[in-house]
Amino acid sequence: MTKYSVFISYRRTGFDTANLIAEKLRFMGYSVFFDVESLRGGKFNEQLFQVIDSCTDMVLVLPKDALNRCADKDDWVRKEVMYAMLKQKNIVPVMLNDFDWPNPMPSGMEDLKDYQAVPASDRNTFDLAMQRLASYLKAPHRRRIMLTRVMGIVAVVLALLGILFGVLRLSSLPACKKAANEMCYNVGLVYQIYEKSEQMQTEWQQYQQSITIAQTTQRKQGLKEDMAEQIRHWQTDIAQLRAEIRPETDYTALEAMLLASRGLLTIELACEQPYIESLCDDIDTACVHMRRTISGEYYNSYSERMIQLDFAMLLHSLNAYYYAYLSELSHLPSSTREMHQVLSSTWRLFPTESDNQPAHYYDDKMQREFDKLDQMIKEYEVFLVQQESDLGEMEQQLDNIQVQLDSMVVK
């Protein structure tokens, strides 16, 4: 089982904001478990508890009335929180718009009000709220593969102090080929995610066009059922991709030293598996949004933009990963890149780049993708806040209509 440091607990009504918080924390470098409704209930409860056991922190996302159902001992949020409290995990409640602590609190959960909480109801201060949330977390801050270049410089300096440096570099060829092949395998998996994303986006656009011109209710219902079935197939494909993610490669102390002499740290290579997991989480989230749009849980005026943002953010994450891969590959001798030379010609969706540029060239390209991704996340925040505001106005209008209807009945 993949090791995580932060567990996100949420209500279905707070799914979108919880997903945004998960993305923010991953962007900061935390290993985040966000189940996108895939594990809750039934025989999977033990797996959830195992994940909580492995985590240092729980982030509890609290939309309006989030704790009202916790009086029910079978409620899943209650189970997750009570288990985390039992295991003395660090719980950080994140209070969204209109959330109030119930009075009285659900039995056994009274101490929850004493934990350090983060108000996150104002879109203008959401980034500050996320920084405050990070300051409350106890899990170690693990930087992503793309953000650890300074350590590489230190490793190279240490390697330069070694005797017979040239001999070391020559001796490093087998370790370099091992690392190059392992990185290439991982990029192959990421490319499959890229292909799946492109397929999903194309078929979703075709579905939207077909549903728009459909003339009968029966035809529209048939299109919805077909698309719902297609989404289930996609989620099965994603689960199969997850199963193909290899465990972290073991390197001997000698291999690690030889790779360091080339400027490549094994600690950077160890970050690849969690990052691929996060890409699977992102594409899984897009499936959830599409499924909810089909079922009518989302308003059409919002759902399309939300799904567009899902795919746009995933695209920048995929491109950033590829640039990071080329940066790491640039440290290795060209003679060890045979697998890359064979497979890279088939990766038509990745940015077109040669593999003979210096590392800083790819690092600059990667940072541009991260900058775009950061802008997308901010747009996502604004979108969610606007959505909550509009839904609140609609609820108020419905309440007013109900009052008018009640007064007419009385007359």
Side-chain angles (χ1 to χ4, degrees):
M1 178 182 292
T2 302
K3 293 183 179 180
Y4 300 92
S5 58
V6 180
F7 183 97
I8 305 286
S9 181
Y10 65 96
R11 285 269 179 229
R12 191 173 187 181
T13 54
F15 170 84
D16 294 319
T17 305
N19 181 51
L20 179 60
I21 292 172
E23 287 297 325
K24 282 282 188 181
L25 292 178
R26 288 185 185 123
F27 192 71
M28 294 177 189
Y30 291 97
S31 178
V32 179
F33 178 84
F34 182 67
D35 67 11
V36 290
E37 303 178 338
S38 62
L39 296 180
R40 296 187 175 199
K43 64 183 179 181
F44 299 105
N45 58 349
E46 290 301 325
Q47 189 172 349
L48 272 176
F49 291 150
Q50 289 175 15
V51 175
I52 294 174
D53 278 333
S54 69
C55 289
T56 305
D57 304 279
M58 170 182 282
V59 174
L60 176 60
V61 181
L62 297 173
K64 182 180 179 181
D65 301 329
L67 298 181
N68 289 5
R69 279 184 280 163
C70 287
D72 181 0
K73 293 185 178 181
D74 291 326
D75 177 70
W76 260 104
V77 171
R78 175 187 173 87
K79 286 185 176 182
E80 291 170 357
V81 173
M82 293 293 288
Y83 190 78
M85 293 174 71
L86 176 66
K87 295 295 184 176
Q88 298 183 332
K89 301 297 179 179
N90 179 45
I91 303 175
V92 183
V94 178
M95 301 183 296
L96 307 185
N97 196 32
D98 295 330
F99 172 78
D100 289 313
W101 295 106
N103 188 15
M105 288 284 287
S107 176
M109 301 179 68
E110 293 84 358
D111 292 344
L112 191 59
K113 294 176 65 175
D114 298 331
Y115 287 81
Q116 288 181 307
V118 177
S121 58
D122 187 345
R123 68 176 182 178
N124 296 319
T125 60
F126 191 83
D127 280 341
L128 291 176
M130 292 301 97
Q131 293 175 20
R132 185 177 177 186
L133 169 61
S135 71
Y136 290 164
L137 298 178
K138 295 183 179 180
H141 189 284
R142 183 178 60 194
R143 304 181 73 185
R144 291 181 182 225
I145 182 177
M146 296 81 176
L147 305 176
T148 54
R149 306 310 309 163
V150 174
M151 295 179 66
I153 297 174
V154 175
V156 172
V157 172
L158 292 176
L160 287 171
L161 299 177
I163 302 174
L164 301 176
F165 179 67
V167 175
L168 280 177
R169 290 176 66 86
L170 183 61
S171 302
S172 70
L173 290 179
C176 288
K177 187 168 185 177
K178 176 180 177 180
N181 289 347
E182 186 63 25
M183 288 192 295
C184 194
Y185 173 84
N186 289 331
V187 174
L189 290 182
V190 172
Y191 186 75
Q192 291 182 59
I193 296 174
Y194 212 141
E195 286 186 315
K196 185 58 63 178
S197 171
E198 288 288 300
Q199 177 195 359
M200 289 167 58
Q201 196 169 10
T202 299
E203 294 191 22
W204 178 254
Q205 291 171 349
Q206 293 172 351
Y207 162 76
Q208 288 294 88
Q209 293 170 359
S210 298
I211 203 76
T212 301
I213 63 176
Q215 299 294 318
T216 65
T217 302
Q218 183 178 6
R219 172 59 177 161
K220 290 182 178 181
Q221 184 59 32
L223 288 170
K224 290 180 180 180
E225 291 175 357
D226 290 343
M227 179 50 64
E229 181 63 26
Q230 183 60 62
I231 292 171
R232 282 191 287 272
H233 286 308
W234 290 337
Q235 290 184 304
T236 299
D237 293 341
I238 296 164
Q240 291 174 348
L241 277 174
R242 286 183 191 272
E244 293 179 26
I245 299 176
R246 291 176 177 173
E248 177 184 338
T249 303
D250 289 329
Y251 292 94
T252 66
L254 177 60
E255 287 175 327
M257 182 185 69
L258 292 173
L259 289 173
S261 74
R262 294 278 182 177
L264 185 61
L265 295 180
T266 54
I267 190 174
E268 295 177 340
L269 301 178
C271 293
E272 292 189 0
Q273 285 78 8
Y275 194 80
I276 300 174
E277 286 278 358
S278 74
L279 292 174
C280 290
D281 291 340
D282 291 342
I283 198 169
D284 224 349
T285 297
C287 286
V288 171
H289 287 158
M290 286 187 287
R291 191 181 70 242
R292 289 184 170 183
T293 299
I294 291 172
S295 66
E297 293 182 46
Y298 287 156
Y299 294 100
N300 288 333
S301 58
Y302 294 115
S303 62
E304 275 309 298
R305 186 55 186 153
M306 182 182 295
I307 293 169
Q308 288 172 5
L309 286 171
D310 284 336
F311 284 118
M313 289 191 293
L314 180 60
L315 171 67
H316 294 306
S317 295
L318 290 163
N319 286 342
Y321 184 95
Y322 186 62
Y323 283 126
Y325 161 71
L326 291 176
S327 176
E328 304 304 338
L329 198 67
S330 69
H331 293 284
L332 305 179
S334 57
S335 61
T336 63
R337 308 180 195 173
E338 295 176 359
M339 183 180 292
H340 171 81
Q341 298 298 338
V342 172
L343 297 181
S344 60
S345 61
T346 66
W347 296 336
R348 58 181 180 80
L349 296 177
F350 281 138
T352 303
E353 294 285 354
S354 65
D355 62 353
N356 58 3
Q357 298 293 336
H360 67 80
Y361 171 85
Y362 304 117
D363 290 342
D364 289 342
K365 296 263 190 176
M366 176 189 64
Q367 188 57 52
R368 292 176 194 173
E369 295 294 335
F370 271 133
D371 290 342
K372 293 175 184 177
L373 179 60
D374 194 37
Q375 286 299 117
M376 289 285 179
I377 291 176
K378 290 178 180 178
E379 184 178 349
Y380 205 102
E381 294 172 15
V382 174
F383 172 76
L384 289 179
V385 171
Q386 183 61 49
Q387 182 184 24
E388 290 179 4
S389 176
D390 290 351
L391 289 176
E393 291 179 6
M394 293 181 67
E395 289 177 357
Q396 185 61 50
Q397 292 174 5
L398 290 174
D399 290 341
N400 293 338
I401 292 172
Q402 186 62 50
V403 170
Q404 294 174 6
L405 290 174
D406 291 343
S407 64
M408 292 174 63
V409 171
V410 172
K411 293 179 180 179

